[in-house]
Amino acid sequence: MSAAVASKSLFWNKIKAFLSQEAFPGIFLVFAALLALIFANSGLASSYFSWWDLQLTIGFGSWALEMTFGSFINDFLMAIFFLMIGLEVKREILAGELSTGKKAAFPIVAALGGMIVPAAIYIVFNLSMQNGNIDGFGIPVATDIAFALGVLMLLGKRVPVALKVLLMSLAVADDIGAIIVIAIFYSSNIAVTYLLVALAAMIFLFILNMAGVRSLVPYLLVGLVIWFCFEHSGIHAAIAGILLALTIPAAAKISVKQYTAEGRAAMNKLDQTGSSFIKMKKIILSEHQQEVLDELGTKYKDITSPLLRLEHGLAKPVSFFILPLFAFANAGVTIGGEGVNLLSPVALGILLGLVVGKPLGITGLTFLMSKLGWIEKPPSISWKQIIAMSMICGIGFTMSIFITLLAFTNADSYALIASSKLAILIGSLVAGILGAVYMLRVTKKPQNAKT
């Protein structure tokens, strides 16, 4: 191998290693948001904003939907993002950190504190000032898991694994809360007929699940029907992704014992057959061997959970396409544009909710409940580390922007939306930096988790 080829191979290996890091999705989101800001404040601004107004037709006949490119991103692609969230939630409840009361207690209480206090700060702040608007109270309640986890991953081995697990569990519980807030407070003009059709479709999928159907195809096809119904129901269509996730089978088709036995039998068949063209030093499998390998592939599919297969299949498209595209489409704010005001009650309420409310709510409620003996802090994590983590949880970004679009829907809401987006970007940036700096300070040396 020549030096040039070796150098090229080393370069691409480094690129692949960088892209595989858990912190990269967060970095990619930051890049997409910055790119949106650059476009929105450059000579390309008019083109940038016009992209999202392009008309699309999805479907055919009476099932056709007319929507803008921006609505396609926020309604359809975000439903796929919510589907992945739903799969994560279901997995954590069935076999993860939320599977038992003892495991779930601490992150659930943390998530509740991280939602209640920011919302309360926003509401009080907007009620006490002129021109306040309480419709956006749900904006500072959410935590962006990609950003928050990305910050922890960038800090490397300084951060205990237990703290990363706690953040993941807290974010899952936080997502459940945010979804409930969206469903209850940001839905209007409910069309019962469409919801009944969606309910019937879900019941059908639950029946398929109980009947042992493990192919993902029927679930995803019927999922499109559920999404279509929600798009017309008055409840945001992205919620359909969560509901679809509940119907996806979590159990594998065969047991580990059965897979092991049948796999061994297939491997024995493979050993007993000869390969063609061995003398060519490149073994070409015989037809019978290929059949055995196909059988092994089927067994592997049978032993893997459909839920995990779908979750893993969605991870990269969501992280590297859907979320960055959402950020690029929605983070573009004309700084200094007409009506944009960071000193407005709405903007200040969001900033204070994210930067102050999140750490105060998470740390305050968990500390209080721990002192009362109702929950127990993970022994390997110190309260200082929890404070640092709670500061990082002030990174709202994706879900906060998403809720902003639901909170302010009037024709004259441009200034509110733009001010909110700018407050979210600044608040998330400040929360991330403060949390990362404090985390470095309290994790310079291995901690004994002393309070």
Side-chain angles (χ1 to χ4, degrees):
M1 182 184 292
S2 67
V5 173
S7 177
K8 184 177 180 181
S9 176
L10 180 62
F11 171 76
W12 282 112
N13 286 336
K14 287 183 177 180
I15 292 294
K16 289 177 182 178
F18 175 70
L19 293 178
S20 65
Q21 291 179 9
E22 291 183 81
F24 185 75
I27 296 172
F28 202 24
L29 269 180
V30 172
F31 174 76
L34 289 176
L35 196 61
L37 284 172
I38 292 171
F39 270 74
N41 292 276
S42 70
L44 296 172
S46 59
S47 298
Y48 167 80
F49 288 111
S50 65
W51 290 340
W52 319 121
D53 292 326
L54 294 175
Q55 290 294 318
L56 301 177
T57 301
I58 302 174
F60 52 89
S62 59
W63 286 85
L65 272 177
E66 297 283 343
M67 56 171 44
T68 64
F69 186 32
S71 295
F72 173 74
I73 295 169
N74 296 333
D75 290 3
F76 183 74
L77 294 185
M78 286 302 283
I80 299 174
F81 167 62
F82 272 56
L83 170 60
M84 193 180 78
I85 288 178
L87 295 171
E88 291 175 349
V89 168
K90 185 172 181 177
R91 172 173 51 79
E92 289 294 329
I93 290 174
L94 291 176
E97 292 300 314
L98 303 179
S99 59
T100 65
K102 189 174 181 180
K103 283 184 176 181
F106 196 92
I108 286 178
V109 169
L112 283 174
M115 294 178 66
I116 294 171
V117 176
I121 288 176
Y122 178 94
I123 291 171
V124 170
F125 204 79
N126 275 266
L127 285 177
S128 63
M129 297 182 68
Q130 289 184 343
N131 302 321
N133 188 317
I134 64 170
D135 291 343
F137 77 92
I139 297 172
V141 305
T143 293
D144 190 301
I145 182 57
F147 266 143
L149 189 60
V151 171
L152 288 190
M153 292 303 173
L154 286 173
L155 298 178
K157 296 181 180 179
R158 291 173 181 263
V159 181
V161 174
L163 193 63
K164 296 174 184 176
V165 172
L166 176 60
L167 175 63
M168 287 289 291
S169 306
L170 188 159
V172 169
D174 185 273
D175 284 335
I176 296 173
I179 289 159
I180 292 172
V181 168
I182 291 170
I184 295 175
F185 297 103
Y186 296 111
S187 301
S188 60
N189 300 321
I190 305 301
V192 177
T193 303
Y194 280 107
L195 289 181
L196 289 175
V197 174
L199 177 61
M202 283 191 63
I203 292 172
F204 173 69
L205 291 183
F206 277 120
I207 292 172
L208 289 185
N209 192 331
M210 291 186 289
V213 176
R214 293 296 178 263
S215 170
L216 289 169
V217 174
Y219 294 93
L220 297 179
L221 290 177
V222 176
L224 289 174
V225 175
I226 296 173
W227 176 84
F228 181 88
C229 291
F230 268 83
E231 179 69 11
H232 289 82
S233 71
I235 299 176
H236 198 279
I239 300 294
I242 295 289
L243 298 178
L244 175 61
L246 299 178
T247 70
I248 303 297
K253 190 173 184 179
I254 61 176
S255 66
V256 174
K257 185 176 181 181
Q258 184 180 352
Y259 172 75
T260 303
E262 294 179 359
R264 273 204 197 97
M267 288 299 294
N268 288 335
K269 289 182 190 177
L270 192 64
D271 288 338
Q272 293 166 8
T273 57
S275 301
S276 306
F277 305 109
I278 297 179
K279 292 181 181 179
M280 295 175 63
K281 295 184 181 180
K282 291 185 179 179
I283 299 175
I284 298 177
L285 299 178
S286 67
E287 184 177 347
H288 182 65
Q289 281 180 316
Q290 189 60 53
E291 290 175 358
V292 173
L293 287 178
D294 291 341
E295 182 183 347
L296 281 170
T298 301
K299 298 300 178 189
Y300 174 77
K301 189 175 181 180
D302 289 341
I303 190 61
T304 55
S305 161
L307 185 149
L308 290 178
R309 285 208 315 270
L310 184 56
E311 185 182 343
H312 291 163
L314 290 176
K316 287 186 178 179
V318 168
S319 297
F320 296 105
F321 175 67
I322 292 177
L323 289 184
L325 182 59
F326 175 83
F328 183 62
N330 292 286
V333 180
T334 304
I335 299 173
E338 185 179 353
V340 178
N341 183 9
L342 274 178
L343 298 179
S344 68
V346 168
L348 290 175
I350 292 170
L351 281 168
L352 289 174
L354 292 174
V355 179
V356 178
K358 274 290 182 180
L360 188 61
I362 292 172
T363 307
L365 193 57
T366 51
F367 184 78
L368 175 62
M369 294 296 145
S370 295
K371 290 302 179 183
L372 292 174
W374 294 355
I375 61 173
E376 185 178 345
K377 176 178 68 65
S380 61
I381 302 173
S382 71
W383 281 112
K384 288 182 178 179
Q385 290 171 335
I386 289 175
I387 292 172
M389 180 201 70
S390 68
M391 294 166 72
I392 293 173
C393 285
I395 303 174
F397 198 69
T398 304
M399 287 295 284
S400 293
I401 291 178
F402 185 76
I403 295 174
T404 296
L405 301 176
L406 302 180
F408 307 122
T409 55
N410 295 331
D412 58 349
S413 294
Y414 170 79
L416 284 174
I417 293 173
S419 299
S420 297
K421 287 181 179 180
L422 193 56
I424 291 166
L425 293 174
I426 294 174
S428 296
L429 180 63
V430 171
I433 292 174
L434 291 178
V437 170
Y438 189 64
M439 184 69 76
L440 285 173
R441 182 177 179 182
V442 299
T443 56
K444 287 183 179 179
K445 297 179 180 179
Q447 303 291 309
N448 296 321
K450 293 180 180 180
T451 58

